[in-house]
Amino acid sequence: MYNIPGSVTTPASGASPDKAGEGAEQADGVRTARTVAEVMAQSQAGDVLDELDRELVGLAPVKARIRDIAALLVIDRLRMNQGLQAQTPSLHMSFTGNPGTGKTTVALRMAQILHRLGYIRKGHLVAVTRDDLVGQYVGHTAPKTREVLKKAMGGVLFIDEAYYLYRPDNERDYGQEAIEILLQVMENSRDDLVVILAGYGDRMETFFQSNPGMRSRIAHHLEFPDFVEGELLRIAEMMLEQQNYRFGPGARETFQEYIAHRIRQPQFANARSVRNALDRARLRQASRLFANPDKELTVDDLSTIESPDIRASRVFDLGAAATPNN
Amino acid sequence: MMTNPTGRLTQGQFSFLPDLTDAEIALQIEYGLKKGYAWAVEYTDDPHPRNTYWEMFGMPMFDLNDAAGVMLELKSCRSTFPQHYIRLVAFDSTRGVETIAMSFIVNRPPVEPGFGLVRQETNGRTMRYTIRGYEAERAEGERYRK
Ligand SMILES: Nc1ncnc2c1ncn2[C@@H]1O[C@H](COP(=O)(O)OP(=O)(O)OP(=O)(O)O)[C@@H](O)[C@H]1O
Ligand SMILES: [Mg+2]
């Protein structure tokens, strides 16, 4: 095979084992990595992992699993550099967890990490749901699914709420066709893309039960735990900081109280509820400042969320109503 | 042998070279994707030089990031039309260009008899010449089969 400038030749096909054994330099003068640190430094995967640790609150089991996967890929790289057999591991995953626990966020990071470690070639994420895969009439589904798969090649295909693909009540449902194409590509094109299925735990379980082929093709099942109150508060502070806001005196405590109420109410969506609450608090802060048209506003005024901005939330009334003795 | 010196159809890029391997095809696709071209797969069993428009196999592929997507389509075309000519074409949608920028054959029938020269005698001693594919004698879908 000829070499086009800029094309990557994989070490497996490029360097013969005996040549690699002498710590040979690669064509571009970079030493072939021999240590974990070298692989990490060359791939800059460590940066993404650290970023993941810093920017995502909690999620300890998920982070541990991602580190495990990174470790496997790094060791595989080292094995390949030494001319040992390194079979591409299957990295299809399922992310289960309640709304707003960070599944989509982690999937995006995952694409970056896998790209840096050289597992996927491009590192983009294509996020889809049932509507993007399943057609409306006979013969519509296959091209639609294949279209999406082709776009995802070289990156990560993220299927949100994957269980909607399977409708047990309708045996002629086109979703089954999409699942079959997915299964085939997941098996045959392992080197070309990583599929991540995401959804709520119990419904994913039923989905896997009725599609055993799907379960057996997924090597990693990651469960996203709900956040505890302390974590939600930290998430809130991080979100504010990113947007150049901060809590005024007492506001932090008020928000803590807010979380304690909100967490018990229906339709609580973890980090997303926090984001929404902060958006509404910003709205109230804006109206508060707006009401005083002649006041000169300082940086402090503009960036401080005060306790009343949060206190005005309906959540507090509902919380009080739900626990009358409080 | 005047009409078919290599015993092979020579149209598009690379057609005087030995057939590209799949890895080499993928590199060409990758190059096109980097340029922002949209790839499409086309097939025919009537490769007359004047047959500009071959049949499209599926839609042109926009928004692809990686050659594997095009290869997937190519493989499925090959399994559907193993005896046909298949080519990859890259469309450059840059305003003012808006045309095919790359095109090369990626599948050929096992035997390529080529084209015969047809002579037609007309008024006086005038001769008209044209070429006709030997396989074109047979019905569409029946060509290039042994
Ligand atoms: N661990 C975390 N630390 C900081 N922010 C987080 C964390 N997890 C999630 N978020 C934030 O919460 C919001 C919702 O997260 P995300 O969209 O990833 O949830 P999800 O699990 O995909 O939810 P759904 O199941 O409803 O799709 C995002 O804005 C994200 O930035
Ligand atoms: Mg999501």
Side-chain angles (χ1 to χ4, degrees):
Chain A
M1 201 166 91
Y2 53 84
N3 243 318
I4 289 181
S7 73
V8 256
T9 45
T10 52
S13 64
S16 60
D18 50 335
K19 200 174 131 216
E22 289 148 29
E25 300 224 328
Q26 278 171 359
D28 50 358
V30 181
R31 203 178 93 88
T32 311
R34 283 280 178 278
T35 67
V36 170
E38 276 169 356
V39 175
M40 293 300 269
Q42 279 175 22
S43 63
Q44 294 166 325
D47 298 351
V48 190
L49 284 175
D50 292 342
E51 228 175 78
L52 188 85
D53 262 349
R54 250 183 295 119
E55 288 173 16
L56 294 187
V57 176
L59 297 179
V62 175
K63 288 175 182 167
R65 195 61 176 270
I66 293 176
R67 278 199 179 270
D68 288 349
I69 293 172
L72 174 70
L73 292 180
V74 169
I75 299 300
D76 267 0
R77 171 68 61 84
L78 290 172
R79 284 175 57 97
M80 221 157 68
N81 288 351
Q82 295 282 14
L84 293 174
Q85 184 72 28
Q87 209 195 1
T88 4
S90 165
L91 281 193
H92 302 310
M93 299 176 218
S94 90
F95 289 1
T96 52
N98 289 326
T101 43
K103 298 183 291 293
T104 310
T105 313
V106 170
L108 255 169
R109 299 293 171 96
M110 198 61 143
Q112 279 173 23
I113 294 173
L114 295 180
H115 176 49
R116 296 264 171 105
L117 288 171
Y119 187 82
I120 48 178
R121 287 186 298 270
K122 299 290 150 62
H124 60 288
L125 180 98
V126 175
V128 298
T129 54
R130 180 188 157 99
D131 287 350
D132 302 297
L133 297 169
V134 180
Q136 306 285 328
Y137 45 84
V138 178
H140 191 202
T141 302
K144 227 175 152 178
T145 305
R146 294 175 67 86
E147 179 104 338
V148 168
L149 283 167
K150 281 183 281 182
K151 284 180 187 164
M153 288 282 173
V156 170
L157 175 63
F158 181 76
I159 307 179
D160 221 349
E161 305 193 90
Y163 29 77
Y164 285 132
L165 285 179
Y166 178 70
R167 296 241 167 101
D169 41 308
N170 180 0
E171 64 181 45
R172 305 258 287 280
D173 182 56
Y174 301 135
Q176 195 61 41
E177 201 181 335
I179 292 178
E180 267 152 40
I181 297 172
L182 275 174
L183 289 179
Q184 199 188 343
V185 170
M186 283 166 81
E187 187 70 24
N188 299 339
S189 308
R190 257 198 258 160
D191 300 348
D192 296 326
L193 92 165
V194 168
V195 176
I196 300 182
L197 306 181
Y200 309 134
D202 44 342
R203 304 180 67 176
M204 282 305 272
E205 185 52 37
T206 16
F207 173 72
F208 283 130
Q209 247 155 33
S210 24
N211 294 279
M214 194 59 101
R215 190 203 294 273
S216 65
R217 275 172 186 73
I218 289 179
H220 303 275
H221 293 262
L222 276 73
E223 271 187 43
F224 286 62
D226 282 343
F227 295 112
V228 298
E229 290 177 24
E231 288 168 346
L232 291 169
L233 192 60
R234 285 234 309 289
I235 290 174
E237 283 175 324
M238 275 176 54
M239 283 177 177
L240 284 184
E241 204 182 298
Q242 276 162 16
Q243 306 176 57
N244 279 325
Y245 282 95
R246 57 183 183 73
F247 284 133
R252 191 173 179 279
E253 288 67 30
T254 313
F255 198 75
Q256 197 166 9
E257 229 178 289
Y258 172 90
I259 292 172
H261 283 307
R262 185 68 188 86
I263 213 165
R264 273 172 211 89
Q265 286 167 14
Q267 260 135 52
F268 174 65
N270 286 285
R272 183 166 303 116
S273 292
V274 170
R275 178 173 292 267
N276 293 344
L278 293 178
D279 283 350
R280 284 191 297 270
R282 275 172 48 205
L283 215 66
R284 289 191 205 99
Q285 181 234 26
S287 328
R288 174 165 57 77
L289 298 178
F290 195 77
N292 231 338
D294 297 324
K295 185 170 179 237
E296 195 174 314
L297 297 173
T298 63
V299 173
D300 249 10
D301 290 333
L302 289 170
S303 59
T304 310
I305 303 276
E306 300 289 358
S307 178
D309 298 336
I310 301 161
R311 182 70 66 183
S313 166
R314 255 175 55 238
V315 166
F316 286 99
D317 312 338
L318 291 171
T323 49
N325 52 347
N326 192 342
Chain B
M1 282 318 277
M2 282 300 288
T3 55
N4 193 14
T6 54
R8 291 156 55 81
L9 190 69
T10 48
Q11 290 182 15
Q13 300 165 285
F14 319 127
S15 58
F16 286 92
L17 298 175
D19 287 339
L20 301 189
T21 63
D22 278 6
E24 286 165 341
I25 292 171
L27 281 175
Q28 294 299 336
I29 298 171
E30 206 60 56
Y31 170 82
L33 289 177
K34 276 205 198 100
K35 291 274 197 178
Y37 303 158
W39 285 100
V41 180
E42 298 182 343
Y43 66 94
T44 191
D45 62 356
D46 178 18
H48 190 284
R50 298 285 183 173
N51 179 15
T52 315
Y53 302 109
W54 293 13
E55 259 67 56
M56 289 204 307
F57 187 81
M59 296 298 204
M61 290 166 270
F62 293 93
D63 308 323
L64 253 55
N65 287 289
D66 191 85
V70 182
M71 290 308 285
L72 192 76
E73 200 72 350
L74 170 58
K75 280 177 188 147
S76 102
C77 185
R78 275 180 183 153
S79 65
T80 319
F81 299 109
Q83 316 271 13
H84 281 56
Y85 286 98
I86 302 176
R87 72 182 175 194
L88 292 180
V89 294
F91 180 74
D92 181 352
S93 62
T94 312
R95 192 166 163 78
V97 180
E98 292 158 285
T99 188
I100 299 299
M102 293 174 76
S103 166
F104 55 95
I105 296 174
V106 288
N107 196 69
R108 304 166 171 277
V111 188
E112 301 179 72
F115 303 89
L117 188 67
V118 181
R119 297 182 180 82
Q120 189 188 24
E121 294 163 310
T122 61
N123 306 351
R125 298 185 65 82
T126 309
M127 278 289 226
R128 289 173 181 274
Y129 299 98
T130 189
I131 60 165
R132 183 165 171 81
Y134 293 113
E135 286 294 320
E137 309 283 334
R138 296 159 74 182
E140 207 178 333
E142 301 295 319
R143 298 168 191 155
Y144 300 102
R145 284 170 201 276
K146 268 180 271 172

